[in-house]
Amino acid sequence: QVQLVESGGGLVQAGGSLRLSCTASGRTLDNYVVAWFRQPPGKEREFVATIGKSGGMTMYEDPVKGRFTISRDNAKNVVNLEMNNLTPEDTATYSCAASHGLTSRFSYNYDYWGQGIQVTVSS
């Protein structure tokens, strides 16, 4: 089975940018749809973005549209989430997840999860 590890999180000021990476091992990532989810402090986990197996299909949650970009490099077994114009409301633990199925915004459709990484945006 595939193992996922997130990297690139940290502390950034409002208006700044971060790039998160989700690196896979154990299996080649091109067999999986990959998504990013986040869980803000004290709130439920929410969908952020997802990308199809070839990268041709992407889907974003409304609050991040136009600011976040999901991309993948199957040769490197990595999916990136470029986050621009960050606001304090983007503060959360971000997790990547993988699925053999179709792109979906629902966490229950994803079978494999990374451990999560913290993103904190200061005002």
Side-chain angles (χ1 to χ4, degrees), residues 25-108:
S25 62
R27 291 286 189 272
T28 55
L29 203 54
D30 55 0
N31 290 323
Y32 298 86
V33 166
V34 177
W36 286 94
F37 292 82
R38 65 185 182 185
Q39 186 166 17
K43 296 184 178 180
E44 296 292 316
R45 183 165 56 193
E46 58 190 36
F47 168 75
V48 176
T50 187
I51 188 165
K53 295 175 184 178
S54 65
M57 168 84 175
T58 58
M59 184 165 54
Y60 299 90
E61 194 69 344
D62 284 346
V64 308
K65 282 182 180 177
R67 299 189 300 123
F68 290 15
T69 302
I70 189 170
S71 63
R72 66 191 300 158
D73 185 339
N74 287 338
K76 296 182 179 179
N77 255 11
V78 65
V79 170
N80 295 315
L81 184 69
E82 190 76 34
M83 305 186 296
N84 298 314
N85 195 20
L86 286 160
T87 73
E89 288 68 38
D90 295 314
T91 294
T93 300
Y94 285 72
S95 299
C96 63
S99 167
H100 281 296
L102 302 176
T103 52
S104 169
R105 62 190 302 274
F106 300 108
S107 60
Y108 56 73

Side-chain angles (χ1 to χ4, degrees), residues 7-27:
S7 60
L11 174 65
V12 64
Q13 288 188 330
S17 299
L18 279 175
R19 186 175 75 168
L20 302 182
S21 294
C22 175
T23 304
S25 62
R27 291 286 189 272

